[in-house]
Amino acid sequence: MYYGEDFVDEVRSRNDIVDVISSYVNLKRSGSNYLGLCPFHNEKTASFSVSPGKQMYYCFGCGAGGNVITFLMEYENLTFLEALEQLAEKAGMELPKQSASAEDRRKRDLRDAVLEVNKLAANYYFARLKSDRGKIGYDYLRGRELTPETIVRFGLGYSDKNSGELYRFMKSKGYDDSVLKETGLFTYDEKRGTYDKFWNRVMFPIMDRNNRVIAFGGRVMGDAKPKYLNSPETIVFDKSRNLYGLNFVHGKQEAMIICEGYMDVIALHQAGFSNAVASLGTAFTSQHASLLKRYTDQVYLCYDSDGAGVKAAMRAIPMLREADIRVKVIDMRPYKDPDEFMKGLSAEEFAERIKKAKSSFFYEVDQIKSQFDLNDPESKTRFMNEVAKKCLTFDNEIERNNYIEAFAREYGVRTEDFRKLTAYHSANMAGIDYEKRRREREKNRTGPAGKEDGIAKRQAIFLTWLCNTPELFQKTEGILSAADFVDEPYRQVAEMMYEQYQSSGQVDPAKIISRFESKEEQSVVAGIFNKELRELRKDEEQKKALNEVVRSIKAYSLELRGRNITDLAELQKLIEEKKKLQTLKISL
């Protein structure tokens, strides 16, 4: 962690979670907590709970949860450090840079310097666009029907025909070549010297989610090649992890639109579709899909309607599905791309095309169908076989069956016959590989199966009880300890809970959550502290449940210890501990 634990705890404690979240979500008091509609998934009944006492939130609908730092990470799509620094600034706290190593400071200083140069370059290009020398670029953009407001909003600019202007400007500002080389804005050549990478081009600044300029794209004026030129990857720019236009998107979206180019995104935004983004001079990647998953569960593909656009859509669909994102494809014909569509029709007509967007499955079916003659029995049979194989790409059996039934209805095939055809293909080698892949994914999602999985659940349940009923620490003293929680993250959570209780007699859930940097881990830990359990009562049913949970956790812990014991005395001690479990009785 870049900053020390004490600083993280102070930032968290000085930002009340109710105050922070209420600036994003409409919260209403409900008992000791606050309730609202979850900002991380679509819902009509409030299931998003914020606890001022525990200084944490949890959604009982989607499982999102954490502390005030986690919330900012999730809602604004920030890294842990970005969220921490933003909250520190909000609380008027100075960042303790001395905690960083010399190498960390060097990298941070270089990143800051590159971002400064990029910002200065964006301002330079923007100023050039409005000058007499930039008239060619400004006329081009206005000719593409962009309004002056849109040009300003996207910070569009122009790089001069003189290929050394920007370099000389940066040197006049005192920037060293060691920094300028890292920006990707200049080409260093032994024979030709140093010159600007972009010249005689309309410039598109590329911004990250914090509106910092991280790279540029440039469209040449004239017929020179390449038509579009993009920044290389740098210390601040990774093509596969950024999307053009994403800086205008905040919080969870009902859906996102994916385009191919800068002008497509800008045209859609100008028409009111501010959820449009595009990949940056590279093919769509699985990292892009993971990035989009933070913002939405539904994507509309709006690629060019030509052959290259179809291929791009066919590559993107499986990656989006893999990220658990629903996919539909917008038909823009007779227009090639969104930019042409908006010029030829209207925003209202595009909204109608969104409503009529085709499911990705039937879009793929259409592409497969184009390769076969359905009037020929043999060709039609091959088509059916290919679609049956396509159905096997759906891991969820219910979803797969739904598409089997939908295809059968659409093409007039008996559902049972097509289901048998799909089953036949699942039995061949490709199908076996698919089933193996499905089982592996399921195993990764659910964790170890059988006994271990049940133990993990019991560990989570008992930690919830410990949080809600701290007296259980004393009741189980000498029986359970943090070492008996064998699965992660329960072991780490248990260690911190026991340590907190021993030092202060209390448990601070929000502080524990801060020790986990990934949002996935934080949600799991938040779920531990927010499980909906019946209140422990002093009746026989609850006593029995409590004793069973404690007994199973301890028994499994002892079993694991026993596998590695070679010392006779240690083995005898283990046997005695197992005997005690038979007569274990914990009362409240």
Side-chain angles (χ1 to χ4, degrees), residues 1 86 109 118 127 139 141 195 311 411 448 501 505 510:
M1 187 180 295
Q86 189 167 314
D109 290 344
N118 285 346
D139 289 346
L141 294 173
Y195 55 94
K311 288 181 180 178
Y411 284 85
Y501 184 79

Side-chain angles (χ1 to χ4, degrees), residues 224-268:
K225 300 293 182 181
K227 183 177 179 181
Y228 278 95
L229 184 65
N230 300 290
S231 290
E233 294 196 344
T234 67
I235 192 172
V236 299
F237 178 51
D238 183 340
K239 293 179 183 179
S240 65
R241 298 182 185 276
N242 288 279
L243 292 164
Y244 185 69
L246 195 61
N247 56 300
F248 294 110
V249 180
H250 301 286
K252 202 74 171 178
Q253 301 292 306
E254 185 177 339
M256 297 281 285
I257 301 171
I258 305 178
C259 312
E260 283 195 57
Y262 304 118
M263 288 302 299
D264 295 330
V265 171
I266 295 172
L268 286 175

Side-chain angles (χ1 to χ4, degrees), residues 89-103:
E89 182 179 354
K90 182 177 183 294
M93 298 172 61
E94 189 174 341
L95 301 177
K97 291 187 177 180
Q98 67 275 13
S99 61
S101 67
E103 179 61 18

Side-chain angles (χ1 to χ4, degrees), residues 162-417:
N162 189 325
S163 64
E165 288 276 329
L166 181 65
Y167 179 70
R168 287 191 290 273
F169 174 74
M170 290 299 175
K171 294 299 287 185
S172 73
K173 294 296 181 180
Y175 286 100
D176 190 85
D177 282 328
S178 61
V179 171
L180 298 180
K181 283 180 180 178
E182 298 294 332
T183 65
L185 287 169
F186 310 100
T187 300
Y188 287 79
D189 186 275
E190 289 185 5
K191 294 182 179 179
R192 295 180 57 190
T194 304
Y195 55 94
D196 301 346
K197 183 179 182 69
F198 299 97
W199 54 278
N200 194 30
R201 292 177 182 270
V202 167
M203 299 299 294
F204 301 85
I206 298 165
M207 302 181 191
D208 66 9
R209 53 182 172 267
N210 295 316
N211 287 307
R212 297 177 301 191
V213 180
I214 56 175
F216 293 89
R219 201 277 187 197
V220 72
M221 296 292 92
D223 299 322
K225 300 293 182 181
K227 183 177 179 181
Y228 278 95
L229 184 65
N230 300 290
S231 290
E233 294 196 344
T234 67
I235 192 172
V236 299
F237 178 51
D238 183 340
K239 293 179 183 179
S240 65
R241 298 182 185 276
N242 288 279
L243 292 164
Y244 185 69
L246 195 61
N247 56 300
F248 294 110
V249 180
H250 301 286
K252 202 74 171 178
Q253 301 292 306
E254 185 177 339
M256 297 281 285
I257 301 171
I258 305 178
C259 312
E260 283 195 57
Y262 304 118
M263 288 302 299
D264 295 330
V265 171
I266 295 172
L268 286 175
H269 277 246
Q270 183 170 274
F273 300 94
S274 57
N275 58 340
V277 296
S279 52
L280 296 158
T282 184
F284 191 83
T285 66
S286 58
Q287 290 95 329
H288 288 139
S290 298
L291 180 60
L292 283 167
K293 181 62 178 175
R294 302 182 192 175
Y295 293 86
T296 190
D297 297 317
Q298 171 80 62
V299 156
Y300 290 95
L301 288 180
C302 196
Y303 287 159
D304 291 359
S305 55
D306 59 12
V310 170
K311 288 181 180 178
M314 293 291 281
R315 284 195 303 267
I317 287 170
M319 285 184 275
L320 288 162
R321 280 200 197 126
E322 187 75 20
D324 196 25
I325 296 175
R326 301 187 306 278
V327 190
K328 289 189 175 183
V329 183
I330 298 173
D331 182 3
M332 289 177 296
R333 292 174 296 181
Y335 299 99
K336 178 186 176 184
D337 54 40
D339 185 33
E340 287 186 5
F341 188 99
M342 288 305 170
K343 290 181 177 67
L345 291 174
S346 65
E348 291 75 20
E349 182 59 33
F350 189 79
E352 285 299 313
R353 294 291 180 99
I354 290 177
K355 291 179 182 178
K356 297 175 182 177
K358 182 169 287 190
S359 79
S360 58
F361 172 74
F362 279 106
Y363 178 82
E364 291 175 302
V365 169
D366 285 348
Q367 306 315 313
I368 295 172
K369 183 173 68 173
S370 66
Q371 304 171 36
F372 298 94
D373 178 7
L374 299 194
N375 292 316
D376 176 68
E378 182 182 349
S379 183
K380 185 175 182 179
T381 300
R382 289 165 55 204
F383 164 66
M384 295 290 179
N385 277 287
E386 290 303 313
V387 175
K389 294 175 186 177
K390 178 63 66 177
C391 288
L392 291 175
T393 61
F394 293 100
D395 291 351
N396 185 289
E397 187 174 351
I398 293 176
E399 184 180 22
R400 185 164 65 247
N401 284 331
N402 287 339
Y403 279 109
I404 287 172
E405 292 170 5
F407 175 82
R409 284 195 305 270
E410 181 75 16
Y411 284 85
V413 183
R414 288 182 65 240
T415 302
E416 229 15 75
D417 290 343

